């Protein structure tokens, strides 16, 4: 185990909500909740102002609305979040070749491997520079933890929140860990935590005092041995450079259970097209098509079919997903559908006869497939606007949807660099109002 605190853990502060506050001046300093807005939606991220009311990630959205009725509730804009995440990860890559992303807003970095730090002082300076660079490039804040191991670096970043930096000095690890709850340690989930609590073990210090033999008896050899080592602040897990994606998938949860079989089939086809869009966007193809169905009683079924070679052809994926759906009983209705592709490769099987036989006996050209899919995605006559969506008005310029209903849509006109803007209301079909691309959080002049 290394002794210098050269493992860095970065956690962007309330990432999705912070992005929304940065892009919408009127929401800065106010409670913001991002997530699914339907009856079955859940909170993806809550701003710190919303957390003061008890709102947190994974909470049902209906409960969040009861706790913070005056918060701004917005749909996620994952394209924006991914673009900003790429900027942040690029900054981390300048520090070291060993960057281990855990999600869009979180990563470990081995500073020593990149020569960015070798002792306490240099590690602290690297963390300070990183936080400044992130703010300059994205306009956002991130919390940094520095320690001699991944476990301790993550604990340090939690203590640094929000918008701070904490370095755990060598020799202080045991004293820091002792009073913390056992759930702080990696690998201690709800079930293990309850098991330990029933044995009278609630803190890391009590975990260490129990001894390795007792933990092995309670949890098994591998788990018990690993937790005992971590309780003593021993964590030799290396920072592993970004792993290749194992699968690409999309899924939708429906506000009302779908019972109509043709509608279910159309939803699966739509999800298959979206999945292929992501697959192609990543320059990948895959051999195994996966269908996920969560039924009315919350039972979840997964079906898969492995092709003879990798594909990124939407027709092939749609056909495979349809065949998988044929084997699933949806009589009682479904509440969630998903389509995924695994067995990924960076090439495509050129002989489509190896994938599926089309009725005509000939392989469809991708151009024809895309053209056939366009009508499904055609904009409905009555447009639907989602809270948080970026828009552009021919007269008033850029803004975002604050809300919509009863045939009207309310838009606040402001940009990331403007003061809080005015609110105006339009008919949902107003031809002067259209969807728009998100504006950058930081102007080029500010870089």
């Amino acid at each position: 185990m290394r002794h210098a605190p050269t493992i860095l853990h970065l956690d962007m502060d309330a990432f999705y909500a912070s992005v929304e506050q940065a892009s919408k001046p009127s929401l800065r300093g106010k409670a913001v909740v991002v997530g699914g807005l339907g009856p079955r939606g859940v909170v993806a991220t809550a701003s710190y102002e919303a957390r003061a009311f008890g709102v947190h990630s994974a909470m049902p959205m209906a409960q969040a609305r009861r706790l913070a009725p005056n918060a701004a509730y917005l749909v996620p804009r994952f394209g924006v979040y991914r673009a900003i995440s790429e900027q942040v990860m690029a900054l981390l890559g300048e520090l070291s070749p060993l960057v281990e992303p855990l999600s869009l807003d979180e990563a470990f970095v081995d500073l020593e491997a990149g020569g960015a730090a070798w002792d306490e002082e240099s590690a602290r300076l690297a963390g300070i520079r990183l936080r400044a660079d992130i703010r300059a490039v994205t306009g956002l804040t991130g919390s940094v933890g520095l320690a001699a191991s991944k476990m301790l670096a993550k604990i340090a970043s939690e203590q640094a929140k929000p918008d701070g930096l904490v370095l755990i000095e060598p020799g202080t690890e045991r004293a820091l860990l002792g009073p913390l709850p056992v759930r702080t340690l990696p690998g201690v989930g709800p079930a293990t935590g309850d098991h330990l609590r029933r044995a009278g073990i609630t803190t890391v210090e009590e975990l260490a005092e129990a001894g390795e033999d007792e933990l092995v008896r309670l949890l098994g050899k591998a788990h018990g041995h690993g937790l005992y080592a971590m309780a003593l602040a021993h964590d030799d897990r290396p920072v592993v450079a970004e792993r290749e994606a194992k699968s690409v998938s999309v899924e939708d949860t429906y506000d009302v259970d779908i019972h109509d079989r043709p509608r279910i089939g159309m939803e699966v086809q739509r999800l298959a097209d979206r999945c292929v869009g992501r697959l192609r966007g990543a320059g990948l193809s895959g051999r195994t098509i996966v269908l996920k169905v969560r039924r009315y009683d919350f039972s979840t079924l997964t079906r898969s079919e492995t092709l003879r070679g990798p594909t990124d052809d939407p027709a092939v994926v749609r056909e495979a997903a349809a065949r998988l759906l044929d084997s699933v009983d949806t009589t009682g209705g479904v509440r969630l559908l998903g389509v995924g592709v695994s067995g990924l490769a960076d090439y495509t099987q050129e002989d489509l006869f190896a994938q599926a036989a089309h009725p005509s006996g000939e392989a469809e050209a991708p151009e024809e497939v895309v053209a056939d899919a366009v009508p499904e995605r055609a904009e409905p006559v009555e447009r639907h606007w989602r809270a948080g969506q970026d828009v552009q008005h021919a007269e008033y310029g850029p803004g975002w949807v604050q809300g919509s209903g009863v045939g009207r849509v309310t838009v606040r006109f402001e940009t990331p660099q403007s003061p809080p803007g005015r609110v105006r209301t339009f008919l949902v079909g107003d031809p002067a109002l259209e969807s728009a691309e998100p504006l950058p959080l930081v102007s080029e002049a500010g870089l």
Side-chain angles (χ1 to χ4, degrees):
M1 177 176 173
R2 73 182 72 201
H3 298 288
T6 55
I7 299 295
L8 181 148
H9 180 261
L10 171 71
D11 200 344
M12 299 295 290
D13 299 321
F15 184 49
Y16 298 170
S18 293
V19 170
E20 300 303 337
Q21 289 176 320
S23 65
K24 302 171 173 62
S26 59
L27 297 183
R28 293 170 191 170
K30 298 182 180 179
V32 175
V33 181
V34 179
L37 302 187
R40 291 177 181 162
V42 296
V43 175
T45 306
S47 70
Y48 286 98
E49 295 85 358
R51 294 179 192 186
F53 293 95
V55 180
H56 58 78
S57 299
M59 171 182 285
M61 192 61 79
Q63 182 182 355
R65 289 183 184 276
R66 289 194 294 270
L67 292 172
N70 296 320
Y73 289 86
L74 308 175
V75 295
R77 297 185 299 155
F78 288 112
V80 179
Y81 309 148
R82 278 192 292 269
I84 296 172
S85 175
E86 288 173 1
Q87 292 178 307
V88 173
M89 295 303 166
L91 292 173
L92 298 183
E94 293 175 5
L95 292 174
S96 173
L98 290 183
V99 176
E100 182 178 345
L102 304 179
S103 61
L104 290 178
D105 60 344
E106 185 180 2
F108 286 110
V109 184
D110 188 331
L111 296 175
E112 189 174 3
W118 50 92
D119 59 11
E120 185 178 331
E121 182 180 0
S122 59
R124 189 184 300 274
L125 288 174
I128 291 171
R129 285 195 301 270
L130 173 65
R131 294 182 62 243
D133 288 344
I134 289 173
R135 185 183 288 274
V137 171
T138 69
L140 304 176
T141 63
S143 295
V144 166
L146 293 155
S149 68
K150 290 169 68 172
M151 175 185 71
L152 292 167
K154 184 171 176 61
I155 291 172
S157 71
E158 286 295 321
Q159 294 185 342
K161 283 183 167 293
D163 190 19
L165 182 150
V166 168
L167 183 146
I168 298 178
E169 298 178 0
T172 67
E173 296 92 348
R174 289 286 301 276
L176 172 77
L177 283 176
L180 297 178
V182 292
R183 288 287 304 276
T184 305
L185 300 182
V188 182
T192 301
D194 288 344
H195 191 49
L196 291 170
R197 180 180 51 78
R198 289 193 294 270
I201 300 171
T202 59
T203 67
V204 176
E205 184 177 10
E206 291 169 346
L207 200 64
E209 290 174 350
E212 186 172 7
D213 291 343
E214 175 65 5
L215 295 180
V216 168
R217 185 186 70 80
L218 287 170
L219 305 173
K221 186 174 181 179
H223 202 185
H225 175 76
L227 281 187
Y228 181 67
M230 288 186 177
L232 299 180
H234 298 158
D235 177 20
D236 294 328
R237 294 175 301 157
V239 175
V240 180
E242 185 173 5
R243 301 178 179 89
E244 292 184 4
K246 295 182 179 179
S247 64
V248 172
S249 63
V250 297
E251 61 182 44
D252 277 344
T253 301
Y254 303 99
D255 295 341
V256 179
D257 290 349
I258 303 176
H259 294 81
D260 182 61
R261 185 74 179 193
R263 164 81 188 284
I264 294 172
M266 288 178 61
E267 289 294 318
V268 168
Q269 298 293 286
R270 183 178 60 82
L271 289 166
D273 284 340
R274 281 174 52 197
C275 183
V276 169
R278 287 191 182 181
L279 198 68
R280 287 183 166 183
L284 297 170
S285 60
R287 295 183 65 230
T288 301
I289 314 303
V290 181
L291 175 71
K292 178 180 177 182
V293 179
R294 181 166 296 148
R295 298 190 290 190
Y296 69 98
D297 58 357
F298 285 92
S299 61
T300 302
L301 303 177
T302 303
R303 300 286 186 267
S304 64
E305 175 181 320
T306 299
L307 309 172
R308 296 180 186 176
T311 185
D312 67 351
D313 178 31
V316 174
V317 176
R318 285 201 301 263
E319 289 177 4
R323 287 193 296 272
L324 294 170
L325 180 62
D326 288 341
S327 66
V328 177
D329 179 9
T330 61
T331 305
V334 300
R335 59 194 305 125
L336 176 148
L337 291 168
V339 174
V341 178
S342 60
L344 302 183
D346 57 2
Y347 64 94
T348 304
Q349 178 77 30
E350 294 188 6
D351 180 7
L352 292 181
F353 288 108
Q355 314 301 334
H358 296 284
S360 64
E362 296 181 357
E364 291 183 328
E367 291 78 7
E368 295 174 350
V369 173
V370 173
D372 289 344
V374 168
E376 293 183 15
R377 299 195 183 104
E379 192 170 62
V381 174
E382 181 177 335
R383 291 181 289 179
H384 296 280
W385 304 101
R386 306 190 303 163
Q389 179 181 350
D390 295 285
V391 296
Q392 176 83 23
H393 190 275
E395 180 179 354
Y396 301 111
W400 57 278
V401 174
Q402 193 161 287
S404 65
V406 293
R408 297 183 179 274
V409 54
T410 301
V411 177
R412 186 179 288 273
F413 291 97
E414 59 187 4
T415 71
Q417 286 76 44
S418 76
R422 292 189 59 182
V423 173
R424 298 182 184 275
T425 300
F426 309 91
L427 294 175
V428 294
D430 190 326
L433 186 68
E434 59 183 5
S435 297
E437 291 298 314
L439 297 172
L441 300 187
V442 177
S443 66
E444 292 185 4
L447 291 178

